[in-house]
């Protein structure tokens, strides 16, 4: 597939604005949790560009391949602690946002582990990666070939 558009050339101010939100969430969330959120949402959305970018970044920061591969079936494996599981459950709920929104039990578990402000920051991180996924998929952004 050929890339349709280069976002940085087409809308540099828009990309810069999304980067601003990205920098905020990077400053307020644990990077291990943030990597898990980014990879899980990108897997759900089928964004090859973002899967490549965020797995590469996570590995560079010390995440294991086993935990990254396990994200495809995170509920079935024991690699993640309770806080990470709360973030992943919310990632699934927000990314797949169904007719009834985020279930109360998923929200309550997220607040239990992150507090109210932290839970909203997790939602912001999930929303941000979902926006990046949609931009990359729509423009057919391609990961660098190795």
């Amino acid at each position: 597939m050929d890339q349709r558009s280069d976002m940085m050339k087409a809308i540099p101010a828009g990309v810069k604005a999304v980067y601003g939100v990205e920098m905020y969430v990077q400053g307020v969330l644990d990077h291990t949790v943030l990597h898990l959120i980014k990879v899980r949402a990108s897997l759900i959305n089928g964004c090859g560009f973002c899967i490549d970018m965020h797995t590469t970044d996570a590995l560079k920061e010390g995440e294991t391949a086993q935990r990254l591969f396990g994200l495809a079936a995170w509920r079935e494996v024991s690699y993640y602690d309770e806080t990470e599981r709360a973030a992943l459950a919310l990632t699934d709920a927000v990314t797949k946002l169904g007719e009834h929104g985020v279930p109360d039990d998923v929200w309550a578990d997220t607040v239990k582990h992150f507090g109210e402000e932290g839970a909203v920051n997790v939602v912001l991180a999930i929303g941000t990666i979902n926006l990046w996924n949609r931009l990359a998929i729509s423009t057919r952004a391609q990961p660098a070939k190795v």
Side-chain angles (χ1 to χ4, degrees):
M1 271 203 273
D2 292 330
Q3 186 165 321
R4 288 180 172 150
S5 181
D6 180 333
M7 288 182 280
M8 281 301 295
K9 289 181 182 175
I11 55 161
V15 171
K16 184 178 178 182
V18 180
Y19 272 124
V21 178
E22 178 70 33
M23 297 311 300
Y24 170 80
V25 296
Q26 285 185 26
V28 296
L29 287 180
D30 172 81
H31 280 212
T32 298
V33 170
L34 188 55
H35 287 306
L36 296 177
I37 289 168
K38 289 178 179 184
V39 174
R40 178 61 185 164
S42 298
L43 286 167
I44 292 168
N45 290 323
C47 183
F49 180 86
C50 292
I51 292 168
D52 179 74
M53 175 190 297
H54 298 301
T55 56
T56 299
D57 290 347
L59 289 168
K60 285 179 185 174
E61 288 193 28
E63 187 57 83
T64 67
Q66 182 181 45
R67 281 172 39 99
L68 292 173
F69 291 137
L71 286 170
W74 69 267
R75 293 179 193 274
E76 307 302 320
V77 295
S78 60
Y79 311 148
Y80 313 101
D81 66 28
E82 288 185 18
T83 301
E84 293 166 339
R85 288 181 171 284
L88 290 169
L90 189 61
T91 300
D92 284 11
V94 172
T95 300
K96 298 175 185 177
L97 203 56
E99 180 181 342
H100 302 290
V102 175
D104 289 339
D105 62 324
V106 171
W107 182 257
D109 196 39
T110 305
V111 171
K112 174 183 166 188
H113 291 284
F114 290 91
E116 185 175 354
E117 180 180 338
V120 177
N121 281 327
V122 171
V123 171
L124 188 57
I126 296 164
T128 304
I129 188 57
N130 275 281
L131 176 55
W132 284 125
N133 288 168
R134 280 149 181 77
L135 289 167
I137 291 168
S138 297
T139 62
R140 292 188 181 153
Q142 297 295 305
K145 294 180 183 177
V146 288

